[in-house]
Amino acid sequence: MATPAAAQEFDGHLKARQGMFRIMAINLGIIGDMAKGDTEYDAEQATMAADNLHAVSMINPLILFPEGSDAEAIDGTRALPAIWENTDDVGSKWADLGEAVSGLQEVAGDGREALGPALGPVGNACKACHDEYRASE
Ligand code: ASC
């Protein structure tokens, strides 16, 4: 574990990147619940949520992952050191997420039935990164 000073140095980065993922989970949840029929479909809400996902996907995540802010160096993160050994792959997986989210954004206003098929690639993109670069809880 790194010194408390190092952990403190990255406190803002951890908050920012975890907040970024939380924003995505909340917006994905809104669309996911509609797709499942747990909440009533609302074209405006679905579009707003998809637009938010797209906005977050436009952030370059590497800025929020400075060297030394991995789970082996500091507490409070599940970011595996493999991220820093594979930044090209991380960037490519993030781009895949962006493409999947654009697909969702295109159909979010088209009715409940359109959501499920467009959510699949988004979920796969989330999972692809988590499988390789996030520690299990
Ligand atoms: C979510 C969430 C994730 C992804 C993932 C998709 O809503 O919090 O981590 O979707 O489960 O595979």
Side-chain angles (χ1 to χ4, degrees):
M1 283 297 144
T3 60
Q8 206 172 5
E9 182 189 349
F10 296 129
D11 188 50
H13 294 82
L14 263 52
K15 283 199 175 91
R17 71 201 194 197
Q18 289 167 2
M20 171 178 86
F21 293 123
R22 186 73 62 88
I23 291 169
M24 289 207 283
I26 289 170
N27 286 281
L28 203 51
I30 288 168
I31 298 176
D33 286 348
M34 286 183 199
K36 283 182 286 184
D38 289 352
T39 56
E40 203 174 326
Y41 175 75
D42 179 324
E44 197 183 331
Q45 284 283 310
T47 301
M48 214 184 286
D51 289 350
N52 280 346
L53 289 169
H54 182 249
V56 175
S57 78
M58 299 295 283
I59 293 171
N60 187 323
L62 292 176
I63 295 287
L64 302 176
F65 289 78
E67 293 270 355
S69 65
D70 61 90
E72 286 181 10
I74 58 172
D75 287 329
T77 174
R78 291 158 71 193
L80 291 174
I83 291 168
W84 289 265
E85 291 150 24
N86 300 280
T87 50
D88 285 354
D89 184 55
V90 172
S92 151
K93 284 178 163 54
W94 189 258
D96 291 345
L97 172 69
E99 270 192 48
V101 163
S102 293
L104 178 60
Q105 202 181 18
E106 273 172 34
V107 302
D110 295 349
R112 189 185 82 84
E113 296 72 24
L115 299 179
L119 273 174
V122 177
N124 290 341
C126 297
K127 189 175 183 307
C129 221
H130 292 163
D131 284 350
E132 285 187 51
Y133 300 120
R134 184 178 69 168
S136 47
E137 284 192 276

